[in-house]
Amino acid sequence: MLLFQDLVQDPAVDAVVSEEKTLSVIDLIVDGGTGSILIISVLFVMLFVALYIYFERIFAIKAASKIDSNFMNQIRDHVSNGKLEAAKLLCAQTDSPVARLTEKGISRIGKPLDDINKAIENAGTLEVYKLEKNISVLATVAGAAPMIGFLGTVIGMILAFHQMASNGGQAEMGSLASGIYTAMTTTVAGLIVGIIAYIGYNHLVNRTDKVVHKMEANAVEFLDLLNEPL
C-alpha cells in the first residue's frame, strides 16, 4: 500500500503523465516536417489576408451606409425651389454612395427622364463595384484553404505509407499513427481558415446588399421627385 502511494506521488511519474497529455500546436506543425510547415505557413498567410480584407471592407461599408436621414428631404427642398447648385453642394459635402448617385441625377436635370435614370444606374454600378472590392478574394480563400489543407494531409499519409512500404510493411504503428495525425493538422488548419473566410464573406455580402438596397431606394425616391408636378 505504501509503495503504491509513493508511486502515485512520485514527481517523475507525474511529469511523464503530464508530458504525455500535453501536445502543443507548434509541436504538431514542426513534427510534420517541411511539407507541413510550408502548407501551414501558406494557410497562415491566407488567414491574414482574409482578416485584413474583412476588416478593411467592413469599415468601408459601414462608412458608406452612413447618411443623414434628412438628406433626401433637403434635396427635395432644393430641387423644388430650383436651387440645383445648393443641392449639388450638399451632395458633394456628403461622402456616401447615395449622395454621389443623387448628385449624378441632379447634374442631368433638364434631360429626358430615361437619360437621368441611365446615368444613375451607371453611377450605381461603379459604387457597387467599389463596395465589393476584394470581397471575391474571401470567397477564393474560403474554397481554397480546405483543399490546401486536404492536400497536406494526403501528402503526409502518402509519406507515412511509403515509410511502411520501405520497411517491408513492418513499420511501427506508433510511427505510422504519428505521421498521420500530424499530417491531418493541415486539414484542421485549412478548415479553420476556410470557415473564417466563408463567414466573413457572407457577412460582407449581406452588409453590401443592405447598402445597395438603400441606394436603390434613394434613387427611386429621387426619380419620383422629378416626376412630381411643380
Side-chain angles (χ1 to χ4, degrees), residues 16-39:
V16 172
V17 173
S18 176
E19 183 178 355
E20 290 178 351
K21 292 183 178 180
T22 302
L23 184 62
S24 67
V25 176
I26 296 178
D27 290 337
L28 285 174
I29 297 174
V30 174
D31 292 344
T34 304
S36 177
I37 295 175
L38 178 62
I39 291 177

Side-chain angles (χ1 to χ4, degrees), residues 39-60:
I39 291 177
I40 294 294
S41 300
V42 172
L43 291 173
F44 179 79
V45 172
M46 294 175 69
L47 176 61
F48 175 79
V49 171
L51 291 176
Y52 173 80
I53 292 175
Y54 172 77
F55 286 108
E56 187 273 332
R57 283 293 86 198
I58 200 68
F59 288 127

Side-chain angles (χ1 to χ4, degrees), residues 168-181:
Q170 301 298 321
E172 296 181 0
M173 290 304 299
S175 176
L176 182 62
S178 176
I180 293 176
Y181 77 66

Side-chain angles (χ1 to χ4, degrees), residues 13 41 47 67 82-83 97 122 125-126 140 144 163 177 189 194 198 205 213:
V13 176
S41 300
L47 176 61
I67 188 169
K83 300 178 180 179
N122 292 337
T125 301
L126 294 176
T140 301
Q163 179 182 2
Y198 180 76
V205 169
H213 176 72

Side-chain angles (χ1 to χ4, degrees), residues 178-201:
S178 176
I180 293 176
Y181 77 66
T182 302
M184 291 188 70
T185 57
T186 59
T187 298
V188 175
L191 289 174
I192 291 174
V193 174
I195 290 171
I196 292 174
Y198 180 76
I199 294 174
Y201 170 78

